[in-house]
């Protein structure tokens, strides 16, 4: 085996206007993780190799929330991806154990304000893989979602930055158009008045 890539994408959902103007510790919803990007990056693995990583999920905001932990295939060899074994544990229970491709998501998990939760992620290359899997690589992604307060799951399309822009440029453009329109009308009126005087 040549490579296994496992990427962890973190999606921050800001549900309150205080997210825009408040200080970090004033955010209503603030989900972060440790590590924050790449969870596992392995090269030159062989049948029987395995790796275990701890993922710390942190609620730094003021509100309790339910989060959803999910996974999906991204690229590379889907055949190799389908063979990998995955186990997910918390401090006391096994939350999932089976083939990686069978894992879609965990049920919503409550995370109280200012609390953390540790998930243990264990990925194993089965010992019975044959030579046909040599040189294959795969890439997949774990995602975190915050469950919406109005029901369902809020869309997570990447980190959202604070909205710091204003309507100033729109107002300036509108004002400029009004000024040019006024100048144009003045020219037309003067030309018309000059024409009428000559007549």
């Amino acid at each position: 085996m040549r490579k296994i890539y496992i990427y962890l994408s973190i999606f921050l959902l800001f549900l309150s206007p205080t997210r825009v103007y408040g200080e970090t510790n004033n955010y209503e919803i603030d989900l972060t993780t440790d590590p924050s990007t790449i969870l596992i990056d392995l090269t030159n693995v062989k049948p029987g190799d395995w790796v275990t990583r701890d993922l710390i999920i942190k609620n730094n905001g003021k509100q309790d929330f339910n989060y959803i932990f999910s996974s999906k295939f991204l690229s590379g060899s889907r055949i190799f991806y389908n063979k990998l074994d995955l186990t997910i544990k918390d401090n006391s229970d096994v939350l999932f154990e089976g083939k990686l491709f069978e894992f879609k998501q965990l049920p919503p998990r409550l995370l109280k304000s200012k609390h953390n939760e540790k998930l243990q992620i264990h990925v194993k290359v089965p010992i019975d893989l044959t030579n046909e899997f040599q040189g294959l690589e795969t890439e997949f992604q774990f995602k975190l979602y915050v469950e919406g307060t109005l029901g369902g799951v809020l869309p997570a399309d990447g980190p959202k930055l604070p909205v710091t822009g204003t309507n100033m440029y729109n107002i300036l453009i509108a004002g400029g158009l009004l000024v040019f329109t006024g100048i144009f009308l003045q020219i037309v009126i003067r030309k018309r008045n000059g024409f009428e005087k000559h007549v």
Side-chain angles (χ1 to χ4, degrees), residues 100-123:
L100 177 59
F101 79 93
E102 296 173 333
F103 174 70
K104 302 306 178 188
Q105 68 178 40
L106 295 177
R109 298 180 63 78
L110 176 65
L111 190 57
K112 292 186 176 294
S113 174
K114 308 304 180 184
H115 282 70
N116 303 333
E117 179 173 48
K118 180 173 75 174
L119 296 182
Q120 187 181 82
I121 313 296
H122 179 86
V123 177

